[in-house]
Amino acid sequence: EDFMELPQAFFHYVVWMSGGRESLYDLQGVEGEEGEFLIVDPCMVRTPKKALTSIVDGQLGGAPACGPSQESFDTLHPRCGQLCRGFDPQRRGAKVRKMCGLNFPAACGMP
């Protein structure tokens, strides 16, 4: 498929603005004649809130938490365009192992 900068930037912006706690999947829609996009039925994925049982399960090696991840971000957002650089100038592309332009692990809340 063709790289469409506006939906890709929207996907990146949601992750960036939520601090890595939310992500959009299944962006579908149409591009209008004047370059606008109509996106229908996106799926929002959020990192679940930590409950005592999930904290204990995590310490005991239980099931991993589901939600947005660095791997899914890199896969779904293969490169940044000019729009991404407007709000997240530090991120250069999916090959860089930092999230949202920050230089430390788990930046923006990504596991």
Side-chain angles (χ1 to χ4, degrees):
E1 295 183 23
D2 293 333
F3 178 84
M4 297 192 160
E5 186 174 4
L6 189 57
Q8 284 286 331
F10 180 53
F11 169 81
H12 184 160
Y13 183 76
V14 168
V15 174
W16 180 80
M17 193 65 181
S18 72
R21 293 179 301 275
E22 297 177 349
S23 186
L24 291 174
Y25 291 89
D26 199 24
L27 292 178
Q28 300 178 49
V30 295
E31 182 177 10
E33 292 178 12
E34 296 179 23
E36 75 279 7
F37 284 87
L38 173 64
I39 297 173
V40 295
D41 201 22
C43 177
M44 175 71 78
V45 176
R46 293 185 174 105
T47 302
K49 292 184 179 183
K50 298 236 185 230
L52 182 57
T53 55
S54 68
I55 294 169
V56 171
D57 283 348
Q59 290 177 347
L60 299 176
C66 60
S69 70
Q70 180 71 50
E71 292 79 22
S72 64
F73 182 86
D74 289 344
T75 300
L76 296 169
H77 190 59
R79 68 180 187 266
C80 289
Q82 195 63 30
L83 290 172
C84 294
R85 287 189 270 288
F87 60 85
D88 191 2
Q90 299 301 312
R91 190 167 191 283
R92 302 282 186 250
K95 300 294 182 203
V96 177
R97 300 310 301 172
K98 39 186 183 169
M99 187 64 193
C100 299
L102 299 178
N103 291 317
F104 52 91
C108 298
M110 293 300 262

